[in-house]
Amino acid sequence: RAVSAAITASKITHSLCDHPLRCLAAAEQILRHLWLKNGSSGGAMANNYSDPPLCQSFRDLDFTLVQLSASGMSIGLGARRVFSLLLSRFDLDGFLCDLEKRGGGRSPTNSAYSSQWIMPPILQEPDHAPSLVEALFTTICILVTELPPPPPSSNSDDSYMRMHVRRGLLHALAVKQLSYSKAMEAATNAITKKDIVASSFDPDEGGSSFRTVFGEVLREISSQKTQGSRMKATPCFELNCDVSDEYDPSFFHLRIADHQQAMDNIARLRKQKFTVKGKRNSGKCLPIVGPPPTAHPRFVPCRMLLHIPALDAAIRRALILALTGGDWLPPQKPMTLDDDIALGNPSFSSELS
């Protein structure tokens, strides 16, 4: 019975991570148009699974399960096993690893040296390799960034709601200017309805409601502008250049197309930020991403995914794939005249002599 119970517990622990990870991997691949044979219905399901507000009940919960498993302890697989499972579910097992050398020797079918590197397994769709690698690293970035927040210190602690409203609203404004109603919708999608209802704090305790927090954050990160010359034109809010450094290129509540548009706007805002009296200040450094948000102590070990040797090996192999234009192996060293002589294959010049 003890052995049976241990096997059952092991299967449950594995399934708590494997099933949501399969859904995450499938959605990431479908959103990158890898499986077009499934038709528009598969794309529609992936959009509903990944886009707000429905993603709060689907993809976000799957991320939480995988993060819980990567955090280890008694009910998790740990960072190493979760990363191995990530490689498997993204069909990159045996690809994103360090190069392995084979024994040198002479190929029976070629007079030159055979390749000194062991070939990776054959990918079912070789053209999908760059997209699969991008999807894998995007998923890892989300796993280690979008962790559950720490518990509130008191009934009036609204720091969690303020942080998520600020991040959601900032990234929505990074895409385009928003009206007040659209800005409210973006802030609402950043937190769950349960959190909105629970935000009705007692004013005597110093708490704030959702609308109060939204209004304060909107004034902090944006400026109001009126479109058109008419007095009755709808006012819109534009992101301030001072907060452009808080943009995260892997923020998971934006689509890929929205991120591409947001990057152009953020680049323009950063130029405005570092331009003084018409002259650009070249002595400033621009951050690639900001610091990750504060996480719940129970989920902090999930960020050990960034410190395992297997991830370093995956990054090195991905760089080879990018630098060689889609080849998993580095280019072979060109053979010299001495190599030809050592192999017993005289070159053309030696034959003339």
Side-chain angles (χ1 to χ4, degrees):
R1 288 184 178 182
V3 174
S4 178
I7 294 175
T8 302
S10 177
K11 289 182 178 180
I12 293 175
T13 303
H14 183 271
S15 299
L16 286 176
C17 179
D18 185 41
H19 179 71
L21 194 54
R22 287 174 182 265
C23 298
L24 293 170
E28 287 290 336
Q29 295 175 29
I30 292 173
L31 291 176
R32 285 167 172 77
H33 310 289
L34 296 188
W35 312 113
L36 297 177
K37 296 179 181 179
N38 294 330
S40 59
S41 60
M45 288 190 293
N47 288 330
N48 292 331
Y49 175 78
S50 304
D51 295 342
L54 293 179
C55 66
Q56 296 177 350
S57 302
F58 296 104
R59 187 187 64 169
D60 293 4
L61 298 181
D62 287 342
F63 270 123
T64 303
L65 273 177
V66 178
Q67 291 164 344
L68 179 65
S69 182
S71 300
M73 298 190 183
S74 60
I75 59 173
L77 298 178
R80 294 178 183 273
R81 294 174 63 186
V82 168
F83 182 76
S84 177
L85 203 57
L86 275 166
L87 292 178
S88 175
R89 296 301 169 238
F90 279 91
D91 298 327
L92 293 172
D93 194 11
F95 294 91
L96 290 183
C97 57
D98 277 331
L99 296 167
E100 296 183 11
K101 285 188 176 182
R102 68 175 71 196
R106 189 170 176 177
S107 172
T109 59
N110 192 355
S111 58
Y113 274 116
S114 60
S115 176
Q116 61 177 332
W117 308 111
I118 297 178
M119 292 290 295
I122 299 176
L123 196 63
Q124 185 177 1
E125 298 287 347
D127 296 338
H128 292 178
S131 297
L132 289 173
V133 172
E134 177 190 359
L136 172 70
F137 284 110
T138 300
T139 303
I140 293 176
C141 289
I142 296 174
L143 284 173
V144 299
T145 303
E146 306 298 337
L147 296 173
S153 58
S154 63
N155 292 334
S156 61
D157 184 11
D158 59 359
S159 57
Y160 153 68
M161 180 175 60
R162 188 177 297 272
M163 177 186 67
H164 282 269
V165 168
R166 183 183 181 93
R167 295 189 74 224
L169 188 56
L170 184 144
H171 287 84
L173 289 171
V175 179
K176 59 182 179 180
Q177 298 180 4
L178 297 176
S179 62
Y180 184 87
S181 59
K182 291 295 184 180
M184 174 67 77
E185 181 181 351
T188 305
N189 292 336
I191 59 177
T192 62
K193 293 182 178 179
K194 178 181 178 181
D195 297 323
I196 296 177
V197 174
S199 65
S200 300
F201 298 115
D202 187 358
D204 297 334
E205 296 183 0
S208 303
S209 66
F210 169 75
R211 286 186 174 274
T212 302
V213 171
F214 166 73
E216 293 174 355
V217 171
L218 186 63
R219 288 190 295 270
E220 290 175 3
I221 68 174
S222 67
S223 56
Q224 183 175 344
K225 292 190 175 183
T226 303
Q227 294 182 345
S229 58
R230 295 180 302 173
M231 297 297 295
K232 295 183 178 180
T234 303
C236 289
F237 295 87
E238 184 181 18
L239 187 66
N240 292 332
C241 60
D242 296 335
V243 296
S244 58
D245 292 346
E246 299 180 28
Y247 169 74
D248 184 357
S250 63
F251 184 67
F252 69 146
H253 281 172
L254 286 185
R255 297 181 180 181
I256 298 177
D258 292 336
H259 270 297
Q260 293 173 349
Q261 185 175 352
M263 289 179 183
D264 296 335
N265 295 332
I266 291 296
R268 174 179 56 82
L269 292 173
R270 288 178 174 177
K271 288 181 180 179
Q272 295 178 5
K273 180 179 179 180
F274 295 114
T275 301
V276 181
K277 295 181 181 181
K279 296 182 180 180
R280 186 175 180 182
N281 188 355
S282 58
K284 297 290 185 180
C285 296
L286 300 178
I288 299 177
V289 294
T294 307
H296 195 287
R298 174 62 179 83
F299 289 85
V300 170
C302 175
R303 289 176 176 162
M304 287 299 298
L305 282 168
L306 300 175
H307 303 284
I308 58 177
L311 180 63
D312 298 335
I315 295 174
R316 288 191 290 265
R317 198 62 176 272
L319 290 175
I320 292 177
L321 181 71
L323 293 174
T324 58
D327 194 355
W328 294 104
L329 300 178
Q332 295 186 9
K333 180 181 179 181
M335 298 186 66
T336 63
L337 178 61
D338 295 336
D339 294 332
D340 289 339
I341 296 175
L343 286 171
N345 299 319
S347 62
F348 181 71
S349 59
S350 63
E351 289 180 356
L352 291 179
S353 61

